[in-house]
Amino acid sequence: MDDTETNDGYTLLPTAPPLDDYLRLRRDSGLTPVTAEQGAPAVVGAWSACHVVDGTGTPVAMGRVLGDGGWYFHVVDVATDPAHQRRGLGRVVVEWLLADVRDRAPEGAYVSLIGDPPGQRLYRSLGFEDVTPSGGMGMVLGPQD
């Protein structure tokens, strides 16, 4: 997919943002901060990624999809710079990511995400549903004892 002009002078680019911007957007938007060592593989290792730049070329929103290319796809790192929130950029990012999965994955692909409370209304409006009685789970790995 090519670059896409959005409303208000923003442009969506079909790549992950540069590492420094990825780290900044995660931190500033309220996602768990990650180190450069954690972030470097993330910006090159996604199945799909996009970011939005403002009129000066500064990345202000982003999102990625992790996936196996066939059945399972997981939306991650949807983040918008607080100074650019409430302008529909998160919706633009998620819609682009879903369109990319539709375009490149086999029909019937399963797309999931873990939606923090601020994004849940957006995700529901795009067709995501709660998976109750299943529940999201996670862990942060520390050193082995």
Side-chain angles (χ1 to χ4, degrees):
M1 297 181 124
D2 296 327
D3 297 358
T4 305
E5 285 290 323
T6 67
N7 299 338
D8 304 323
Y10 293 101
T11 302
L12 184 142
L13 304 174
T15 62
L19 177 59
D20 288 344
D21 294 301
Y22 171 81
L23 299 173
R24 174 185 54 81
L25 286 169
R26 281 194 59 87
R27 180 190 67 240
D28 292 354
S29 70
L31 296 179
T32 303
V34 297
T35 66
E37 183 179 28
Q38 294 166 319
V43 297
V44 297
W47 186 85
S48 179
C50 68
H51 70 284
V52 175
V53 297
D54 66 10
T56 68
T58 301
V60 296
M62 67 176 182
R64 299 186 309 127
V65 172
L66 308 178
D68 60 18
W71 158 245
Y72 194 73
F73 300 86
H74 190 68
V75 176
V76 297
D77 289 336
V78 176
T80 302
D81 183 308
H84 297 268
Q85 291 178 353
R86 311 305 262 166
R87 298 179 190 187
L89 299 178
R91 175 175 292 279
V92 166
V93 165
V94 177
E95 286 177 341
W96 187 92
L97 293 171
L98 292 174
D100 194 37
V101 173
R102 279 189 189 98
D103 287 349
R104 298 194 300 133
E107 185 175 341
Y110 181 77
V111 181
S112 63
L113 58 77
I114 296 175
D116 292 332
Q120 289 176 2
R121 192 172 88 187
L122 166 64
Y123 303 136
R124 284 188 183 100
S125 76
L126 293 170
F128 287 92
E129 299 175 355
D130 291 327
V131 293
T132 305
S134 297
M137 296 182 176
M139 89 169 61
V140 176
L141 296 177
Q144 287 287 336
D145 293 333

